[in-house]
Amino acid sequence: MEGIRPLLGVLWNLLHTFCDELEVIITAKALSAGTLISLGANKIVMTKQAALGPIDPSINHPLNPLIPNAPHVKAPVSVEAIRGYLDAATELGIKDASSLTQILVDLSNKVHPLVLGQIFRSREQIRFLAKKLLKRQVEDEQKTREIIDFLCAESGSHDYTINRREARDLGLNIENPSDGLYGLLRKLHLSYVDELKLLEPYDPYSLLGANQTTDYALPRAAIESVKTGSHKFLSEGTLTKTVTQQVGPAGPFMQDMINDNRKFEGWRKTS
């Protein structure tokens, strides 16, 4: 979410220059940034299996707190979790300035002040962007505020899923696909599952098989257009298996090691 957020406004302005009406079709899950993208469409087509989700972003910053017992791993910090912590203090009846100051000091001892500053900036930015995108679906300002409040905070958990009935009840412009369109979407979805190998975990040993070295080209995303054809985001490289001697509690032993020499990673026109 954090990386794509600054680009969404530019992306949707660009898309709307090429069409009079823009639809987003959701066949499965479009959570977090996917939900934010959907807000900018004129209508959202959702299948029975489709789901939207909260748009409360998490901040990944070089100064984020470290995860206990994992000294090199930094914990993402949820924007709304920080807001919820501060709101809880006032809801518990803590109102005097010295106590609230101490709560803020304690928080800043756990989360770096620069991260806290980024969190509050992100919170305002995400709400501003959501309000801007929603103008194509919702004209009533009160309804817009209610939708944003729910998606940013009131849904409670970042894992919360919103089916099409609840999305429609929220006030979003939701459309059910016809039987014919649903059949086409189902075929398209299954073709992407097969082409992008979505159900196959990445396993370098399977790619190597009995070989000591092998080249690979793995598609990770696809963008297709009637006029411009198919573009895929590819990871390409060479896997090489070596055997090295290691020393363990029971003495020396031989262990397989795999070197992944990544030669290319990016978008390429494939058809």
Side-chain angles (χ1 to χ4, degrees):
M1 169 74 83
E2 187 179 1
I4 195 174
R5 188 172 58 240
L7 302 176
L8 285 178
V10 176
L11 173 64
W12 281 113
N13 286 335
L14 178 63
L15 289 174
H16 278 282
T17 62
F18 291 95
C19 62
D20 296 323
E21 183 172 306
L22 183 64
E23 293 184 9
V24 167
I25 300 175
I26 304 174
T27 59
K29 292 182 178 180
L31 309 180
S32 193
T35 295
L36 194 58
I37 289 172
S38 301
L39 299 183
N42 295 89
K43 67 174 65 173
I44 307 171
V45 180
M46 296 179 68
T47 66
K48 293 179 180 179
Q49 298 82 14
L52 300 172
I55 57 173
D56 56 319
S58 294
I59 301 299
N60 291 294
H61 191 281
L63 298 175
N64 274 25
L66 293 170
I67 295 177
N69 301 320
H72 302 295
V73 182
K74 296 182 182 294
V77 181
S78 167
V79 170
E80 291 302 326
I82 295 296
R83 181 73 261 174
Y85 169 78
L86 297 175
D87 287 344
T90 57
E91 290 173 4
L92 289 172
I94 302 173
K95 297 182 179 179
D96 63 284
S98 61
S99 297
L100 292 174
T101 299
Q102 187 57 50
I103 288 172
L104 189 58
V105 170
D106 291 342
L107 178 61
S108 64
N109 287 332
K110 298 292 185 181
V111 182
H112 196 282
L114 292 180
V115 177
L116 291 174
Q118 183 64 34
I119 281 171
F120 288 108
R121 285 188 60 196
S122 295
R123 185 175 189 268
E124 295 306 314
Q125 185 182 41
I126 205 74
R127 287 173 174 266
F128 170 80
L129 183 56
K131 181 179 180 180
K132 183 178 180 181
L133 293 175
L134 267 171
K135 288 181 178 179
R136 293 185 172 89
Q137 288 190 52
V138 183
E139 296 181 358
D140 182 82
E141 290 192 9
Q142 176 62 30
K143 177 57 69 175
T144 297
R145 283 195 297 270
E146 291 174 359
I147 293 172
I148 294 172
D149 286 343
F150 182 82
L151 293 176
C152 288
E154 295 173 2
S155 49
S157 169
H158 194 74
D159 298 327
Y160 185 84
T161 55
I162 303 166
N163 61 29
R164 66 186 183 189
R165 179 177 297 176
E166 186 173 6
R168 188 178 288 115
D169 290 342
L170 278 174
L172 297 176
N173 189 13
I174 305 298
E175 183 176 284
N176 295 359
S178 65
D179 291 341
L181 177 57
Y182 181 82
L184 290 173
L185 293 177
R186 175 68 175 165
K187 290 178 62 177
L188 181 63
H189 178 71
L190 291 176
S191 72
Y192 280 128
V193 169
D194 180 62
E195 189 171 359
L196 300 178
K197 305 181 189 307
L198 298 180
L199 300 180
E200 301 177 25
Y202 172 69
D203 182 2
Y205 288 96
S206 295
L207 292 174
L208 276 165
N211 302 315
Q212 291 296 115
T213 182
T214 188
D215 295 329
Y216 66 86
L218 301 175
R220 299 172 60 191
I223 296 177
E224 295 184 311
S225 166
V226 173
K227 291 185 178 180
T228 62
S230 176
H231 291 74
K232 290 187 177 66
F233 189 92
L234 297 171
S235 295
E236 297 178 350
T238 301
L239 295 175
T240 304
K241 180 166 61 176
T242 59
V243 180
T244 60
Q245 180 173 296
Q246 305 289 325
V247 179
F253 65 96
M254 306 305 291
Q255 183 177 33
D256 288 344
M257 303 289 290
I258 294 181
N259 177 57
D260 183 350
N261 181 19
R262 188 67 54 87
K263 298 177 181 178
F264 174 80
E265 193 162 63
W267 291 98
R268 179 174 290 161
K269 185 175 176 60
T270 55
S271 64

